[in-house]
């Protein structure tokens, strides 16, 4: 320990005592009562400001002696308080062990990361996995054992408090009896000397248990109260009542503890009057107490302040380590992969949160290879994973805000084969997606968009050019409210022509964001007959954007202008931008707008056949057209985000039928026993369950959380900031360390150390330790072959194992906890902070105990001196002590500087 | 190290004269003084404490001179062998213990003494009724600072 630290500790102990002394000094004027202890007759002169004022020296002596007696009592309380705290800190030090030794926390943590590195070097090695399991278990056990030991110390402190209360009650009863005996002796003129000695001893013993204040009644008896005035000894027998906790779980679970009260008793020992509360019966963080010193005061401090403060530092370390490991572990998968994952966070299907980012979920074979696709025309490839864009999920309250039910539906939609698909040009599947919850709706409006999959090697552009709706009698009830991609439709305000050219500058009310040169656009028919000789028909249809200049785009028409200049259209046509679908992606067209049709003309129809005229501009510039019909049943609920397969197609499209009806993966909510929770109309009710993803027999599920994030709910009051965790980590699907709080709140910091342990499934099978991540399948070497958009696992992939091993030097963010400020450091460094904090507290408590002992000895020696206080000598000593104090302070200053310079000088 | 406590210390410090042995010997002597002071306090021999102050001050001044010199010229002590460096480290550690103990004892003794003197002052102040009568016939005791000169004759 450095000199500075040693002295700071000494000083802090001193300050503590000075506070206690100050309180005593304030009480001094009240501790004497005239008529008591008139033992001195001698008088002396006292001169104040050079004038004798007749103060009686024996009065001063007597009261100063009394002051010393009170100080001995007070210091006895303080000594006991600091002694018990110091003793418990010693026990904590025993629990921690010596830093740097083989079984110390820092060594165990270092070993854990070393073994993780071995796993990264040999990710397929069973021995490495066993090693990781063994070292992680040792680490988790060490942290949880330390926390359990500290909780047990709180339990012991509570029981010791009960014992201290028993001792205090013995002294309270003894003092009550002595008071009566003194009163009787005074009446019968008997000597009370022996009784007074006995009383002093009882007061000292009582003061050792709790801080007390003593005054005297007119009969020479004592009135004892707690430091803040709750009567303990007066004219009524009293008793302190306390019932210690009956199990360690009271502390671990942070339950309410018993209150400590003082009650008055009648002659039969039955309580009279209301109890006075000394210590409230709350949880440790809420307990308030009027006892500040003595053994009980120290034990209370240990139980409710010191130990919880140390535990929260340990919890912070455990939570930081657990969350960092789990975040990485949830990004990866074991190899070979697992058939199912079940989360440990309880969630409700109706809970709605803000989400962002993407998560990728794949179903693979047990060997980590893609499973067959659902359609025969895809036999050259396998089933693509679901890339779920959480930012666009919508449960009715806007994009990026989704219920757990919506997430479950989205997963099931992907992995449950549709009866048919539509292939049109480069698009592999065009499905209608409902943006309406229930049918019929009150206003008759049905909103929808499309899910478009492109597994070609070129980017495509998708357009809607017509909508027709028939009811169940085949009557045409078409009433389009929003025709197509409504949000991005722009109005054509002016056509600018050049004489002799077919090139036209089309001025738009607004150029849609994302529109680029080379994109295809669709222009609706203008209301004018022509623009400087270019017919309206030549201004209608698909065009390629050749240039963009401000709000004007340039196209080339099939006509030829006969004049220069601009022509306005009083009833502007619309310009539809393309819905772009990049190669290898699946996208919802609602990103460009949602279509709405009014069905109220046939509100009672059993179903509606919605025929969409679509145009696909393929990657090679070719154009494919089709009319695709979807049947939407009426009188249905929970339709939001449901997908519809086409029932008929025309022109360039083909309709392929699925080769299977079996889903390859199911997402569901299960209870603690693994049973699916209750559903109504196909949806889960508002009941907590655990998310389960289970692949079909022989298949595996693999999750990569990518950049997904659970962002809470900004509609909550106050707004819930969320966990910021990725998809898998949020649901705790693939944790390495078990969650400490399997509830809606998920992991918490509190209790993290005590509950630190490895997930049971990993304990049972170390092969479940995640080491790798899924990777895009290798592409065909022949460039004429179609690309592969499947993902799979490869032997030897160590990305997750390496990321776990790299945590050793990773800068993790630890929030402020206990005495430790927030820190961005590695787990090892934070562990050293925690241990140093514990050691510092132990050292401080030892210093305070030492200081309290010294104070006690000083006062005791003064009080016990046969001649009592020698005032003359005390005043003379003031100068000596001040000189010695100043000199020692000077020594400290010079030595501190000199030792530093000296060690620098000699290279120490 | 046995040679050091008996080493004659320099009266003044010259840049070219001091050695690591001088520094160590002075430190050891100061440590002994502090330890004696602590013992005196433990045994309530306050007068003996007073007799040690002169030597304590002299040694402190000497160390201040060394410190100034080393700060000015870090090479003033020349090469230090490993054994001496180890000796120095041990001495620093022991000194830390002794000065910590001494500081606590002196600080507590001073604090207790101050409290007792304060208690005396409080009692004296309380009993001092040298006030005056006001027009309303109320005793108005002056709230003035006291020069405390107590002549005790039991």
């Amino acid at each position: 320990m450095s000199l500075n630290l040693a002295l700071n500790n000494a000083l802090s102990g001193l300050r503590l005592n000075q506070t206690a002394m100050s309180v005593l000094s304030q009480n001094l004027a009240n501790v004497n009562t005239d008529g008591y202890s008139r033992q001195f007759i001698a008088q002396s002169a006292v001169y104040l400001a050079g004038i004798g004022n007749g103060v009686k020296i024996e009065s001063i002596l007597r009261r100063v002696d009394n002051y010393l007696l009170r100080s001995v009592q007070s210091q006895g309380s303080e000594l006991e308080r600091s002694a018990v705290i110091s003793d418990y800190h010693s026990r904590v030090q025993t629990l921690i062990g010596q830093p740097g030794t083989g079984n110390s926390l820092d060594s165990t943590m270092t070993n854990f990361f070393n073994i993780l590195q071995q796993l990264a070097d040999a990710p397929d090695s069973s021995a490495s996995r066993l090693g990781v399991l063994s070292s992680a278990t040792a680490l988790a056990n060490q942290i949880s054992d330390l926390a359990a030991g500290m909780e047990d110390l709180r339990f012991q402190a509570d029981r010791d408090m009960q014992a201290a209360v028993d001792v205090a009650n013995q002294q309270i009863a003894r003092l009550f009896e002595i008071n009566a005996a003194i009163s009787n002796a005074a009446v019968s003129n008997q000597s009370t000397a022996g009784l007074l000695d006995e009383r002093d001893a009882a007061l000292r013993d009582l003061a050792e248990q709790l801080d007390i204040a003593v005054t005297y009644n007119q009969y020479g008896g004592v009135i004892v109260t707690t430091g803040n005035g709750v009567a303990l000894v007066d004219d009524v027998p009293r008793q302190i009542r306390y019932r210690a906790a009956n199990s360690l779980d009271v502390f671990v679970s942070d339950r309410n503890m018993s209150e400590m009260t003082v009650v008055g008793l009648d002659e039969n020992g039955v309580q009279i009057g209301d109890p006075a509360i000394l210590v409230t019966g709350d949880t440790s963080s809420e307990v308030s107490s009027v006892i500040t010193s003595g053994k009980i005061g120290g034990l209370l401090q240990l139980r409710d302040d010191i130990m919880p403060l140390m535990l929260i530092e340990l919890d912070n370390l455990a939570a930081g380590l657990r969350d960092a490991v789990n975040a990485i572990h949830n990004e990866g998968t074991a190899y070979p992969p697992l058939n199912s994952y079940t989360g440990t966070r309880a969630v409700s299907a109706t809970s709605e949160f803000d989400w962002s980012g993407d998560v990728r979920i794949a179903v693979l074979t047990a060997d980590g290879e893609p499973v067959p696709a659902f359609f025969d025309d895809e036999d050259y490839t396998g089933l693509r994973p679901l890339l779920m864009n959480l930012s666009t999920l919508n449960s009715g309250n806007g994009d990026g805000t989704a219920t757990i039910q919506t997430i479950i539906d989205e997963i099931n939609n992907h992995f449950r084969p549709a009866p048919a698909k539509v292939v049109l040009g480069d698009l592999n599947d065009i499905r209608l997606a409902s943006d309406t919850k229930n049918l019929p709706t009150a206003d008759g409006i049905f909103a929808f968009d499309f899910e478009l999959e492109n597994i070609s090697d070129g980017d495509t552009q998708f357009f809607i050019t017509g909508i027709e709706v028939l009811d169940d009698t085949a009557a045409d009830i078409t009433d389009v409210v929003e025709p197509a991609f409504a949000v991005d439709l722009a109005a054509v305000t002016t056509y600018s022509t050049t004489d002799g050219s077919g090139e036209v500058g089309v001025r738009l009310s607004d150029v849609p964001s994302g529109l680029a040169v080379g994109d295809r656009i669709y222009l609706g028919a203008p209301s004018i007959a022509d623009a400087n000789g270019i017919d309206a028909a030549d201004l209608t249809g698909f065009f390629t954007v050749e240039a963009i200049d401000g709000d004007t785009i340039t196209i080339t028409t099939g006509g030829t202008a006969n004049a220069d200049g601009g022509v306005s259209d009083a009833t502007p046509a619309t310009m539809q931008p393309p819905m772009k679908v990049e190669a290898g992606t699946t996208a919802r067209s609602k990103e460009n707008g949602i279509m709405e049709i009014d069905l109220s003309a046939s509100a009672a129809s059993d179903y509606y056949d919605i025929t969409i005229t679509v145009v696909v501009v393929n990657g090679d510039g070719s154009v494919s057209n089709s009319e695709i019909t979807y049947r939407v049943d009426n009188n249905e609920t929970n339709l939001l985000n449901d997908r519809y397969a086409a029932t008929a197609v025309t022109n360039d499209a083909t309709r392929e039928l699925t080769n299977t009806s079996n889903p390859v993966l199911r997402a569901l909510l299960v209870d603690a026993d693994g049973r699916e929770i209750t559903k109504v109309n196909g949806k889960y009710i508002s009941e907590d369950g655990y998310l389960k993803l289970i692949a079909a027999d022989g298949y595996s599920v693999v999750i990569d959380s990518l950049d997904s994030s659970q962002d809470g709910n900004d509609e909550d009051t106050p707004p819930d900031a969320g966990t910021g965790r990725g998809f898998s980590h949020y649901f705790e699907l693939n944790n390495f360390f078990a969650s400490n709080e399997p509830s809606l709140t998920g992991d918490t910091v509190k209790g993290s150390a005590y509950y630190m342990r490895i997930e049971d499934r990993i304990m049972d099978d170390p092969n479940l330790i995640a080491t790798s991540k899924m990777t895009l399948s290798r592409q065909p070497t022949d460039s004429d072959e179609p690309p592969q958009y499947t993902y799979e696992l490869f032997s030897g992939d160590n990305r997750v194992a390496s990321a776990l091993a790299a945590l050793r030097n990773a800068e993790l963010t630890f929030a402020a906890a206990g005495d430790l400020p927030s820190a961005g450091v590695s787990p090892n460094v934070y562990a050293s902070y925690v241990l140093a904090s514990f050691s510092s507290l132990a050292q401080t408590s030892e210093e305070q105990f030492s200081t309290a002992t010294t104070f006690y000895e000083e006062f005791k020696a003064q009080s016990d001196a046969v001649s009592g206080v020698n005032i003359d000598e005390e005043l003379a000593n003031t100068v000596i002590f001040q000189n010695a104090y100043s000199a020692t302070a000077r020594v400290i200053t010079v030595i501190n500087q000199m030792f530093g310079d000296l060690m620098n000088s000699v290279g120490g | 190290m046995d040679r050091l406590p008996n080493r004659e210390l320099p009266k003044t410090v010259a840049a070219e004269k001091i050695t690591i042995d001088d520094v160590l010997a002075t430190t050891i002597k100061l440590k002994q003084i502090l330890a004696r002071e602590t013992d005196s306090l433990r045994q309530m021999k306050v007068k003996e404490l007073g007799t040690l102050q002169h030597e304590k001050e002299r040694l402190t001044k000497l160390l201040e001179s060394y410190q100034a010199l080393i700060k000015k010229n870090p090479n003033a002590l020349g090469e230090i062998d490993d054994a001496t460096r180890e000796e120095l480290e041990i001495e620093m550690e022991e000194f830390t213990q002794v000065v910590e103990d001494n500081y606590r004892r002196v600080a507590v003794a001073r604090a207790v003494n101050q409290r007792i003197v304060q208690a005396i002052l409080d009692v004296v102040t309380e009993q001092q009724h040298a006030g005056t009568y006001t027009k309303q016939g109320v005793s108005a005791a002056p709230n003035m600072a006291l020069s405390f000169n107590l002549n005790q004759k039991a």
Side-chain angles (χ1 to χ4, degrees):
Chain A
M1 183 169 55
S2 74
L3 188 63
N4 267 342
L5 182 57
L7 293 175
N8 281 339
N9 285 335
L11 276 172
S12 69
L14 193 61
R15 274 188 221 109
L16 194 81
N17 279 277
Q18 281 175 335
T19 305
M21 301 283 280
S22 173
V23 172
L24 272 177
S25 186
Q26 288 168 11
N27 290 337
L28 183 64
N30 301 319
V31 299
N32 293 286
T33 302
D34 285 342
Y36 175 71
S37 190
R38 292 176 188 273
Q39 296 148 348
F40 299 103
I41 303 169
Q43 291 190 6
S44 300
V46 172
Y47 295 89
L48 292 171
I51 304 167
N53 72 352
V55 171
K56 293 177 180 176
I57 190 68
E58 68 273 13
S59 169
I60 297 172
L61 286 172
R62 187 191 66 229
R63 292 176 66 170
V64 171
D65 282 347
N66 274 337
Y67 168 76
L68 286 172
L69 196 61
R70 304 289 169 269
S71 296
V72 170
Q73 279 171 6
S74 160
Q75 284 306 309
S77 290
E78 180 54 27
L79 183 60
E80 283 299 315
R81 187 194 71 83
S82 56
V84 75
I85 290 174
S86 179
D87 174 46
Y88 271 71
H89 273 300
S90 300
R91 299 191 212 179
V92 172
Q93 291 300 299
T94 306
L95 291 174
I96 292 171
Q98 288 294 315
T101 55
N103 59 350
S104 65
L105 182 57
D106 51 343
S107 301
T108 312
M109 194 176 288
T110 299
N111 186 51
F112 172 58
F113 287 120
N114 285 343
I115 304 282
L116 276 174
Q117 187 56 54
Q118 289 177 17
L119 180 65
D121 294 341
D124 298 331
S125 159
S126 296
S128 296
R129 289 167 192 269
L130 276 172
V132 168
L133 188 61
S134 169
S135 62
T137 305
L139 177 59
N141 285 351
Q142 191 155 18
I143 291 174
S144 63
D145 286 351
L146 182 52
M150 290 167 73
E151 293 286 15
D152 190 55
L153 285 178
R154 294 179 68 202
F155 186 34
Q156 286 179 36
D158 193 54
R159 284 184 299 186
D160 286 353
M161 208 154 70
Q162 170 80 72
V165 165
D166 291 344
V167 172
N169 279 331
Q170 288 169 14
Q171 303 314 318
I172 289 169
R174 191 171 152 207
L175 284 166
F176 186 79
E177 289 168 5
I178 292 170
N179 269 355
I182 287 175
S183 179
N184 291 336
V187 171
S188 57
N189 273 335
Q190 292 176 332
S191 168
T192 58
L195 289 170
L196 294 179
D197 286 347
E198 195 182 341
R199 184 175 70 184
D200 284 348
L203 285 171
R204 190 182 60 239
D205 290 350
L206 182 58
E208 285 177 359
Q209 309 311 315
L210 73 167
D211 47 315
I212 57 170
V214 181
T215 55
Y216 299 91
N217 64 24
Q218 57 190 329
Y219 308 109
V222 287
I223 298 170
V224 184
T225 65
T226 61
N228 79 324
V230 175
L232 296 172
V233 179
D234 56 2
D235 52 356
V236 173
R238 295 187 187 276
Q239 192 176 60
I240 302 176
R241 290 196 170 164
Y242 182 67
R243 191 179 70 254
N246 57 7
S247 77
L248 180 65
D249 192 55
V250 171
F251 302 98
V252 173
S253 304
D254 200 25
R255 298 208 300 266
N256 279 6
M257 292 170 285
S258 297
E259 61 184 13
M260 187 184 291
T261 58
V262 178
V263 297
L265 305 173
D266 65 13
E267 61 273 17
N268 299 316
V270 177
Q271 179 183 334
I272 51 174
D274 293 331
I277 295 175
L278 298 181
V279 182
T280 60
D282 297 305
T283 59
S284 62
S285 61
E286 299 295 324
V287 163
S288 63
S289 165
V290 300
I291 300 173
T292 59
S293 194
K295 195 170 186 177
I296 296 173
L299 290 165
L300 273 168
Q301 252 186 294
L302 282 161
R303 188 194 71 174
D304 300 329
D305 298 328
I306 297 172
M307 290 292 165
L309 183 138
M310 295 168 82
L311 273 163
I312 200 68
E313 290 179 1
L314 193 61
D315 281 341
N316 212 33
L317 168 67
L321 179 67
R322 176 200 64 209
D323 293 347
V325 168
N326 283 347
I328 294 172
H329 201 262
N330 271 285
E331 287 177 7
T333 181
Y335 183 80
L338 286 73
N339 172 256
S340 69
Y341 287 104
T342 304
T344 58
R345 178 194 288 265
V347 292
S348 165
T350 55
S351 294
E352 191 170 51
F353 298 113
D354 298 335
W355 300 86
S356 59
D358 294 318
V359 55
R360 180 176 288 123
I361 301 172
V363 172
L364 305 176
T365 66
D367 296 329
E369 295 174 350
V371 299
F374 295 150
F375 299 94
D376 289 340
D377 66 321
E378 297 173 19
D379 60 0
Y380 67 93
T381 187
L383 183 68
R384 278 79 60 199
L386 165 66
L387 182 69
M388 186 160 50
N389 183 347
L390 296 166
S391 310
T392 59
L393 279 192
N394 186 339
S395 300
N397 287 319
D399 284 353
T401 303
T403 62
I404 304 299
Q405 181 68 59
T406 297
I407 289 171
I408 289 172
D409 290 345
E410 203 67 12
I411 296 169
N412 287 327
N413 274 331
H414 184 87
F415 293 104
R416 181 176 53 223
K421 69 169 184 174
V422 171
V423 180
L424 178 62
D426 283 347
L427 290 183
N428 180 57
D429 197 359
I430 302 171
R431 287 204 229 177
L432 187 145
S434 170
D435 294 303
T436 295
K437 278 187 176 177
N438 305 311
L439 275 178
T441 55
D443 56 4
I445 301 294
F446 176 62
F448 61 94
D449 69 304
F450 294 91
E451 181 177 72
L452 310 165
E453 185 189 32
N454 177 3
I455 58 171
S456 75
D457 56 1
D459 298 343
T460 63
Q461 299 175 28
F462 176 80
F463 298 88
I464 305 288
T465 60
I467 301 175
E468 182 187 63
V469 185
L470 305 180
D471 69 4
D472 57 1
T473 64
D476 187 343
I477 59 164
T478 304
D479 182 358
V480 179
V481 180
E482 293 289 353
F485 308 147
V487 292
D488 276 340
L489 283 180
V492 178
T493 58
T494 308
Y495 299 93
S496 298
T497 61
T498 305
D499 190 12
S501 169
E503 193 175 273
V504 176
V506 180
R507 188 171 183 189
L508 301 171
S509 58
D510 177 39
V511 175
S513 62
L515 188 70
V517 172
D519 281 353
R520 300 278 284 183
I521 57 168
Y522 180 81
L523 292 180
S527 61
I528 54 176
D530 69 286
N532 293 332
I534 299 178
D535 290 341
D538 289 328
L539 294 169
T540 305
F542 289 95
F543 300 92
T544 300
V545 177
E546 295 168 354
I548 302 176
D549 181 11
D551 56 2
T552 301
I553 60 173
T554 303
I555 60 171
T556 298
T557 67
T560 304
N562 54 21
D564 292 341
V567 178
S568 299
D569 188 352
T571 309
T574 55
M575 190 283 291
Q576 186 185 142
M579 167 68 204
K580 298 177 184 175
V581 188
E582 293 176 3
T585 66
T586 299
R588 285 282 290 268
S589 68
K590 67 178 180 179
E591 294 169 19
N592 275 36
I594 291 173
M595 280 138 279
E596 290 180 1
I597 52 176
D598 189 343
L599 305 175
S600 50
S602 184
S605 177
D606 285 342
Y607 60 84
Y608 304 94
D609 284 330
I610 303 170
T611 300
I612 313 296
T613 306
V614 302
V615 177
V616 174
V617 179
N618 300 305
D620 60 3
S622 63
V623 175
S624 305
N625 300 285
S626 180
E627 290 177 348
I628 307 171
T629 302
Y630 301 90
R631 174 163 293 181
V632 175
D633 289 331
N634 198 8
N635 304 309
E636 294 284 338
T637 57
N638 297 320
L639 298 175
L640 192 64
N641 295 309
D642 276 5
R643 312 297 203 274
Y644 293 85
T647 52
V649 296
T650 63
N651 300 344
D652 300 330
T654 59
R655 181 168 173 269
E656 305 288 340
L657 299 179
T658 183
N659 56 22
T660 178
S661 59
N662 298 322
V664 292
L665 174 76
R666 286 179 66 216
L668 61 162
L669 288 181
V670 297
D671 63 18
D673 297 323
R675 288 187 296 261
E676 186 171 16
I677 65 172
T678 310
K679 273 180 169 175
V680 173
N681 290 333
K683 306 292 177 184
Y684 294 109
I685 60 171
S686 179
E687 178 187 351
D688 285 356
Y690 304 95
L691 179 63
K692 181 173 186 175
L693 302 182
I694 179 167
D697 286 349
Y699 288 172
S700 308
V701 56
V702 178
I703 306 164
D704 187 341
S705 293
L706 301 175
D707 61 347
S708 56
S709 175
Q710 190 269 357
D711 300 328
N713 192 336
D714 58 14
E715 297 295 317
D716 282 359
T717 307
D720 169 17
T723 62
R725 291 181 173 181
F727 177 85
S728 181
H729 192 193
Y730 175 74
F731 290 104
E732 297 171 354
L733 290 167
N734 193 14
N735 276 358
F736 180 85
F737 288 115
S739 169
N740 71 319
E741 191 77 27
S743 70
L744 279 172
T745 57
D747 293 315
T748 57
V749 172
K750 189 172 175 58
S752 294
Y754 185 84
Y755 291 109
M756 188 85 173
R757 64 181 176 85
I758 315 296
E759 276 282 351
D760 289 341
R761 59 189 174 78
I762 292 178
M763 287 295 288
D764 293 342
D765 183 1
N767 289 322
L768 303 188
I769 296 172
T771 53
S772 57
K773 298 174 97 163
M774 62 179 134
T775 306
L776 183 66
S777 296
R778 294 191 179 98
Q779 298 305 303
T781 51
D782 183 349
S783 60
D784 290 338
E785 293 291 316
Q788 297 291 333
Y789 294 113
T790 51
Y791 279 72
E792 54 195 287
L793 296 172
F794 294 102
S795 171
D797 182 0
N798 68 349
R799 282 175 291 172
V800 170
S802 295
L804 288 170
L807 273 177
R808 175 212 293 264
N809 299 315
E811 190 175 288
L812 305 182
T813 301
F814 292 92
D819 281 344
L820 293 174
S822 61
V825 293
S826 69
N828 269 74
V829 170
Y830 194 75
S832 70
Y833 287 178
V834 171
L835 297 182
S837 171
F838 289 3
S839 296
S840 174
L841 284 170
Q843 183 67 31
T844 302
S845 74
E846 199 179 314
E847 297 290 346
Q848 288 180 350
F849 172 56
S850 181
T851 303
T853 305
T854 311
F855 263 103
Y856 180 77
E857 286 171 353
E858 287 279 337
F859 277 114
K860 189 81 168 51
Q862 292 271 17
S863 179
D864 290 350
V866 175
S867 57
V869 170
N870 184 324
I871 293 177
D872 203 28
E873 207 170 284
E874 284 301 329
L875 293 171
N877 287 351
T878 302
V879 178
I880 296 173
F881 288 140
Q882 182 56 45
N883 285 342
Y885 180 83
S886 301
T888 298
R890 190 172 157 195
V891 169
I892 289 167
T893 303
V894 66
I895 283 295
N896 210 17
Q897 290 173 353
M898 197 192 73
F899 280 168
D901 291 341
L902 199 54
M903 291 315 289
N904 287 337
S905 162
V906 302
Chain B
M1 205 191 289
D2 292 344
R3 71 194 189 284
L4 294 175
N6 300 321
R7 184 183 175 86
E8 189 173 340
L9 300 178
K11 301 290 182 201
T12 57
V13 178
E16 67 281 11
K17 293 284 174 64
I18 70 159
T19 65
I20 189 67
D21 280 358
D22 291 335
V23 175
L24 276 170
T26 309
T27 307
I28 290 167
K29 284 191 175 168
L30 183 55
K31 183 180 72 179
Q32 290 168 342
I33 292 287
L34 291 171
R36 277 180 61 192
E37 213 178 59
T38 308
D39 281 344
S40 300
L41 282 168
R42 201 170 278 131
Q43 295 164 32
M44 300 294 287
K45 294 176 181 173
V46 182
K47 280 180 184 162
E48 191 177 310
L49 189 74
T51 64
L52 297 172
Q53 297 312 303
H54 176 72
E55 182 65 358
K56 185 177 175 184
E57 188 182 351
R58 188 183 77 81
L59 293 170
T60 306
K61 276 184 180 170
L62 205 52
L63 284 179
E64 283 172 341
S65 307
Y66 293 157
Q67 193 266 327
L69 185 63
I70 295 165
K71 192 173 183 62
K72 190 175 169 188
N73 178 15
N75 299 320
L77 297 172
E79 288 293 315
I80 306 292
D81 59 39
D82 287 347
T84 309
R85 186 180 294 114
E86 195 177 334
E87 202 175 314
L88 183 62
E89 285 173 0
I90 292 169
E91 186 54 40
M92 282 167 61
E93 203 166 306
E94 286 180 7
F95 193 93
T96 301
Q97 281 296 120
V98 171
V99 78
E100 184 191 339
D101 203 18
N102 175 272
Y103 182 81
R104 187 187 308 111
R105 271 285 166 185
V106 172
V108 168
R110 188 182 74 140
V112 169
N113 170 264
Q114 284 175 347
R115 294 298 168 185
I116 291 172
V117 170
Q118 186 62 45
I120 295 167
L121 280 170
D122 287 348
V123 175
V124 170
T125 305
E126 193 183 312
Q127 294 195 6
Q128 190 234 354
H129 293 295
T132 56
Y133 291 102
T134 66
K135 286 178 185 173
Q136 287 77 31
V138 178
S139 174
N143 186 19
M144 61 182 189
L146 293 176
S147 167
F148 192 77
N149 178 4
L150 193 143
N151 178 16
Q152 181 182 351
K153 292 176 184 171

